[in-house]
Amino acid sequence: MSKKVIYGIYDDDDVILKAVKDIREKGINIDEVYSPFPIHGLDHALGLKPTRLAITSFIYGCTGLFLGMLMMWYMMIQDWPMIIGGKPNFTFIENLPAFIPIGFELTVFFAAHLMVLTYLIRCKLYPGSSETSPDPRTTDDMFLMEIEAHGNEAEIIALIKETGAVEVKEEKIA
Amino acid sequence: MYTVTKNTKLISLVLMLTGVFALGYGFIKGAGHHTDEEITLQVTTFAGAIAQEVSDGVSESAASNYASLFHKIEDEFHLYFSEKEIYEAQDVNDVVHATIHALHAKSQRPWSSLLVAAIFFLGVSLLSVFFLALQYVAEVGWSVVLKRVLMAVGTFLPYVAVVIFIIILTAGFHLFGNHTYHWMAEGIMNPDSANYDAIIAGKEGYLNFGFFFVRALIYFAGWFWALKKLISLSLQEDIDGGVGYYAASKKVSAIFLVFFAVTSSMLAWDWIMSIDTHWFSTLFGWYVFSSMFVTALVVVFMLVVHLRNQGQLKLVNDSHIHDLGKFIFAFSIFWTYLWFSQFMLIWYANIPEEVTYYIARFDEYKVPFITALVLNFAVPIVMLMSRDSKRLPGTVITIGSIVLVGHYLDFFVMIMPGTVGSHWHIGFVEIGTFLGFTGLFIRVVTKSLASMELTPKNHPMLKESKHFHI
């Protein structure tokens, strides 16, 4: 059986936000929404799970802090102890205040960079990736809703039109 | 309209009475003035008696550390000496000196605890006004429904002013054993006096009583003018509407913020840093500011949640709560940043005149000093990091209460080492004074909350605040 995907194209963010809510209320699952800018409240309306990016950020930050401290321990205590400002050079803990800025910087560095990379990978935005939006106008002034149909095309198309779409498209996928 | 309940009145009254009792107890215990000559005579008499006993063979040698002499003095004057003081005494003069110091600390104790509580509540009320002015100047929309709470908290300022002026005046005229400010000591700026201190005398241009007093007057006048103006403009806006009052409030706020930028640092130099007269730190003003700001935010948060639970402030939703929580979280970290910036430079440079400040705190105040750091940094950063915890009023209030204790200890460790030295306690006097202040604060703030509509009616950004959603 061949599957069909239906695209509803809207020209206003408030209209598509309302449409998403109305269509989901009818028990129809919306697979994806493409928009030129983030729409406030859309993730909630689509019923998406809360992002786990914050958790990865916390883990990356802890990694950065640990690696920063490890680096300073190795450089300043283990490998080549140096006396700076008359501070004891043989214990890590006595030198800790001097290492805190470095630990802090590496925490921020790791958390920020790795979080961006994670985000890009999760969004499939690595080098060589191709465009996923079915209509290039979603990068300009249009908003697109994508619904997979399982034999109920007519109902979906009617719903999309009813909720204020300016255009409806149908496409077959293998 | 909010009305003050009987229970609130009763609680605040009980707290205020506790405060009066605690202060009274502190003053009575510290009273009984002995002049320096009397103390010297008493101590030398004791020393002579002990020497006589040793030479008569009645008791064994008093050893070189004067332990038994110290014990006699402890019994006579109801004092307590630290082991360090006992160990470090080299001759009878040192013992006399230690005794005079201990007796001064005893009469100083209620004054210091009054100053700590006054600075704490100065932070709460003044930084509320700062936060209010910030909302106008930055044209913030979300916080409109909180503005009246900020105004009500600000109205506590004159009460703090009265207490601060009492402290300043009694210290300046050397009344009731108030020795809070070392640079006010008699003869300290007079080269012919035995008390002369060249370094302190060099600061006479700034640290002299006349200028000090006038400065305090100017600070309070400026702060209170801005608050009065903002409240009256806002209340008038309720009646007339329009954007004119908002524009005028913005102008007043901008003037206030410039004035505050200077005076917030100067109040910290004047009323806190000048206690350790020799020592100075350039970022001390911002450090005090951050401590005060966190305190104010937590108190405002508690009031907002309390009012919401009372069925007031119906427009406050979880997003407002969340944003206030974010402020508490962010400024707790900002406080730590300044704490560490001040500490690390002094630790690294290790210059004697600077490092004495931290040595006094690490030696004699280790417990409150380290506890303050843990409560003000570790607790909020771990507990308030996640989005969910900041949206739960109960969680933020629990963490906020811990943070308030931490910031009380922070002010305590700023003020006590320079005023009572090693003779510090956190006992009935300190806690009672703080509770008394809390009672007065509750009474004054609930009264002014009841005197106005809690939600501004015609604020141009009221609608934005109403629909605030994050």
Side-chain angles (χ1 to χ4, degrees), chain A residues 126-140:
Chain A
Y126 32 78
S129 63
S130 57
E131 191 201 355
T132 52
S133 173
D135 193 315
R137 284 177 298 166
T138 57
T139 63
D140 184 14

Side-chain angles (χ1 to χ4, degrees), chain A residues 40 58 84 87 94-95 97-98 100-101, chain B residues 340 343-344 347-350 385 469-470:
Chain A
H40 187 84
F58 182 74
I84 296 172
K87 296 285 176 281
E94 298 258 307
N95 262 314
I100 283 180
Chain B
F340 184 72
F343 170 73
M344 193 186 75
W347 172 81
Y348 228 133
N350 209 6
M385 193 185 281
H469 182 259
I470 45 169

